[in-house]
Amino acid sequence: MLLLIYSAKVILCSALLYTYYHLALRNNRFHHWNRYYLLLITIVSLITPLVKIPLPAGGQTVPTAMVTYTSKMITLRETVATPAADPSFYLRTGVIVIYALIAFFLLCRLMVSIHRIRQLVRSSEIQPIPPYHFARHHKVTAPFSFFRYIFWDPNSSLDSPSGKQMLQHELVHVREKHSTDKMLMEVLTAICWFNPFFHLIKRELTLVHEFIADQKAAGEEVAGYAENILRMTFESNQFSITNNFFHPPIKRRILMLTQFRQPRFSYLRRILVLPLAAFIFCSLAFVADKRPSAIRALVPPGTLPELMANNIPTADTSIPVKKRDVQVLTAGPTFPGGEDSLAVYLSKNIRYPKVAAQKGTQGQVTIVFLVNEQGQVKDAKIRGNKLLGDGLEEEALRVVKAMPRWTPAEYKGKKLAVMQTLPIKFSITGDQPVSIVQPEVYTFVEHPPTFVGGEEAMARYLSKTIRYPKEAQANNVSGTIFVQFVIDTEGHLKEAKTVGAKKGYGLEEEAIRVVMAMPQWNPGTHRNKKVNVLFNLPIRFTIQQL
């Protein structure tokens, strides 16, 4: 399906660009411009559909440097037997086989033509005349050139006016390297034989080559040169990949020779293709970023890849995972005066809501916020779906938003925006309600937490422990589940949850079950102190059909 979509985009792109050429540039005297334009059509048509530039979806914004520790992706493959192949499988296979056979035939035909020319070179009388080689052979019926070789028939005289013009014509082909263009187009039309516009471009490019050679070889003798073309019109064309002096259609060649008037808006015709090319590029290259916002936050595209503890590469559990060095921040974000000052600030500013105190409402509120490059606290919000209510969340948000500027995080001298997590516990002791600041949950530390035995041991543990849910197998459901959890100061896992769009059918529940059953980790440390660290573990469930 992806190949069909790509092929359709290639055909659409080449169709639009060739249509512009046919309407605005064809049969004009700027032949060199037309030559490079036709070549670029093929290159742009092949490359543009491959470019994918994600655009934020639906007005959602994600801080460009919001990162957390993320483990390598663990893949669970479940092999299931299918009783019979899908009928579409045979259709796809048939289409691929037909495409491959036709492409193979065309490439073989090209190789045969090249082989025939090489045999002709070996059996010809070669006279080196830098920068080309002059080859005479009795089998040559009309002059033609191929790369640095000019092939000449024994009946044509080099001393006659027509012979000199033909030689000049072939020399232009050699100097301008027209054979390179022809070989490129022959290969492309063999591989992309299904694209009719590539064949039109190849034919048009061959004519442009002739226009360039005619224009330079004719000089001031336009009438005599045109007469020479007409007289030799019916000579045979031996090879399709060579540059022949007597190349049809003759009418257009003579028209280009005798057309001295510069077309109107010549410069404008050439530059108007730029907005068309920009429109095609934007239409095909820019795509909506369909990833869930939570995952876009975890894996920011193209920003600070060196700061990711692991940049979510795929690692099969059956293959040993190669250990990688972890890159950490030079300095994390800090409250003015440090953690002790943060605790003092919160204890002085938090006011236990009266309604919560009267009702006896208590519990923990976790606030997630961004400390940006200027140290400002931004995007503060509640983490978790279960709210305590009675104003506790609102009070916690109020105090966090009122914080003074922090010292921003740094990496190699550059200030960065980093997410912070602050748990605040509201409790009532006796008759007095109090709020307790829980230990901070770090997103970056000097030494991140590790699974005992390393990543290879974790891969083995998951491959042995995870069981593909039967419901997911029955419905052929697969996908990646991101499990986010906190590793506390003793290495225990807590607060495990999934982030991103829900796959369902038991995948999330199985991923959380296995994560919470993990043995104790080696806790993360920061400034020689064990701390709580937020961690992300992507687990990919895949089904292999037999």
Side-chain angles (χ1 to χ4, degrees):
M1 180 59 71
L2 290 177
L3 287 176
L4 288 177
I5 295 174
Y6 170 75
S7 301
K9 289 182 177 180
V10 171
I11 293 174
L12 176 62
C13 185
S14 56
L16 292 174
L17 292 173
Y18 181 79
T19 301
Y20 180 82
Y21 167 83
H22 190 83
L23 296 176
L25 304 177
R26 186 173 180 264
N27 289 339
N28 286 293
R29 291 183 61 83
F30 33 80
H31 304 311
H32 283 91
W33 172 274
N34 285 350
R35 174 194 177 188
Y36 295 117
Y37 177 81
L38 290 170
L39 288 171
L40 282 174
I41 289 179
T42 58
I43 297 172
V44 170
S45 299
L46 292 170
I47 293 178
T48 301
L50 298 175
V51 179
K52 301 295 179 186
I53 304 176
L55 293 175
Q60 295 177 343
T61 58
V62 178
T64 57
M66 188 188 302
V67 290
T68 56
Y69 283 111
T70 305
S71 172
K72 289 189 176 183
M73 185 177 295
I74 305 299
T75 302
L76 175 67
R77 288 188 172 89
E78 187 70 16
T79 303
V80 297
T82 55
D86 188 352
S88 63
F89 168 78
Y90 296 108
L91 177 61
R92 291 195 300 269
T93 304
V95 170
I96 293 173
V97 170
I98 292 173
Y99 162 78
L101 288 175
I102 296 176
F104 179 74
F105 169 76
L106 294 174
L107 288 173
C108 286
R109 189 178 69 172
L110 174 62
M111 297 303 296
V112 168
S113 296
I114 295 174
H115 178 68
R116 288 176 59 195
I117 294 175
R118 292 188 64 181
Q119 285 185 323
L120 190 63
V121 170
R122 292 192 187 99
S123 59
S124 297
E125 179 186 343
I126 305 297
Q127 181 181 359
I129 305 177
Y132 64 93
H133 300 278
F134 191 80
R136 285 183 179 271
H137 198 282
H138 65 277
K139 290 184 179 180
V140 177
T141 57
F144 66 91
S145 62
F146 185 70
F147 287 98
R148 291 186 176 274
Y149 286 91
I150 296 178
F151 295 88
W152 203 264
D153 65 291
N155 299 323
S156 298
S157 173
L158 284 171
D159 298 327
S160 65
S162 61
K164 291 179 181 179
Q165 287 179 333
M166 286 188 287
L167 179 62
Q168 287 299 319
H169 179 99
E170 298 305 328
L171 280 173
V172 174
H173 285 311
V174 173
R175 295 192 189 102
E176 297 284 339
K177 296 180 172 59
H178 290 168
S179 294
T180 303
D181 298 357
K182 292 179 74 70
M183 289 300 298
L184 173 64
M185 291 308 304
E186 288 289 340
V187 172
L188 288 179
T189 50
I191 296 174
C192 302
W193 57 264
F194 53 85
N195 187 351
F197 296 97
F198 278 9
H199 295 276
L200 292 174
I201 291 169
K202 181 180 77 171
R203 186 183 67 179
E204 196 67 25
L205 182 62
T206 301
L207 276 172
V208 170
H209 288 165
E210 299 305 317
F211 297 158
I212 293 172
D214 289 343
Q215 191 177 47
K216 293 188 177 181
E220 301 296 329
E221 298 292 331
V222 174
Y225 189 86
E227 182 182 347
N228 189 24
I229 294 176
L230 287 172
R231 188 177 69 250
M232 304 296 292
T233 295
F234 300 104
E235 293 290 344
S236 64
N237 182 14
Q238 289 184 292
F239 300 99
S240 62
I241 60 173
T242 58
N243 302 289
N244 299 277
F245 177 74
F246 310 111
H247 189 282
I250 302 302
K251 183 178 179 180
R252 283 185 64 190
R253 288 180 64 182
I254 295 176
L255 177 66
M256 290 296 100
L257 277 173
T258 57
Q259 181 179 330
F260 301 103
R261 182 177 57 86
Q262 191 73 7
R264 294 182 63 186
F265 310 112
S266 172
Y267 184 71
L268 186 62
R269 289 170 185 250
R270 283 175 273 184
I271 65 171
L272 276 180
V273 73
L274 297 179
L276 174 62
F279 169 75
I280 294 173
F281 180 82
C282 293
S283 300
L284 298 180
F286 287 102
V287 295
D289 192 349
K290 297 181 180 179
R291 294 176 297 172
S293 59
I295 295 180
R296 284 200 298 272
L298 294 175
V299 195
T303 57
L304 303 174
E306 69 275 11
L307 290 183
M308 299 296 289
N310 292 288
N311 214 8
I312 316 186
T314 301
D316 290 345
T317 55
S318 59
I319 302 174
V321 181
K322 192 174 181 180
K323 193 170 183 180
R324 302 175 64 180
D325 295 334
V326 175
Q327 302 293 333
V328 299
L329 294 172
T330 307
T334 55
F335 187 86
E339 295 181 3
D340 294 338
S341 298
L342 174 62
V344 171
Y345 165 82
L346 292 172
S347 62
K348 287 183 178 180
N349 288 275
I350 291 181
R351 299 291 178 264
Y352 211 108
K354 291 182 180 180
V355 176
Q358 292 171 359
K359 292 183 177 181
T361 305
Q362 54 186 338
Q364 179 175 298
V365 177
T366 302
I367 307 295
V368 180
F369 57 93
L370 180 73
V371 179
N372 66 13
E373 295 87 342
Q374 290 77 39
Q376 297 172 321
V377 175
K378 297 286 185 180
D379 302 329
K381 58 184 178 181
I382 306 297
R383 193 176 76 180
N385 298 323
K386 189 175 180 180
L387 302 180
L388 299 175
D390 296 326
L392 295 183
E393 285 81 11
E394 290 78 3
E395 177 62 16
L397 281 173
R398 181 191 66 81
V399 174
V400 169
K401 290 179 179 179
M403 282 181 178
R405 291 197 178 196
W406 289 46
T407 302
E410 290 188 7
Y411 180 74
K412 295 182 179 179
K414 182 179 179 180
K415 295 180 179 179
L416 305 173
V418 175
M419 287 297 293
Q420 289 290 106
T421 304
L422 180 65
I424 302 174
K425 186 175 181 180
F426 291 86
S427 63
I428 299 175
T429 305
D431 296 331
Q432 297 296 324
V434 296
S435 57
I436 303 171
V437 179
Q438 296 295 319
E440 182 180 1
V441 177
Y442 286 76
T443 54
F444 281 100
V445 291
E446 293 175 353
H447 302 285
T450 56
F451 188 88
V452 177
E455 292 176 346
E456 295 180 10
M458 181 171 66
R460 287 194 297 270
Y461 164 80
L462 290 171
S463 64
K464 291 179 181 179
T465 310
I466 291 180
R467 298 294 177 263
Y468 211 112
K470 292 183 179 179
E471 188 180 4
Q473 291 184 43
N475 291 276
N476 198 30
V477 176
S478 59
T480 301
I481 305 298
F482 279 78
V483 182
Q484 187 179 86
F485 51 91
V486 175
I487 303 171
D488 65 16
T489 55
E490 296 180 359
H492 298 299
L493 277 65
K494 60 182 183 180
E495 300 180 26
K497 64 177 182 179
T498 60
V499 295
K502 187 174 181 179
K503 304 292 182 183
Y505 298 97
L507 295 184
E508 285 81 8
E509 292 76 6
E510 177 62 16
I512 291 178
R513 180 191 70 79
V514 174
V515 167
M516 293 307 296
M518 280 183 174
Q520 191 172 348
W521 285 46
N522 298 318
T525 59
H526 190 67
R527 296 176 182 173
N528 298 320
K529 177 183 176 183
K530 294 180 180 180
V531 294
N532 299 326
V533 180
L534 186 65
F535 206 89
N536 297 285
L537 177 66
I539 302 176
R540 185 167 64 189
F541 292 84
T542 61
I543 296 177
Q544 290 181 323
Q545 303 289 343
L546 288 181

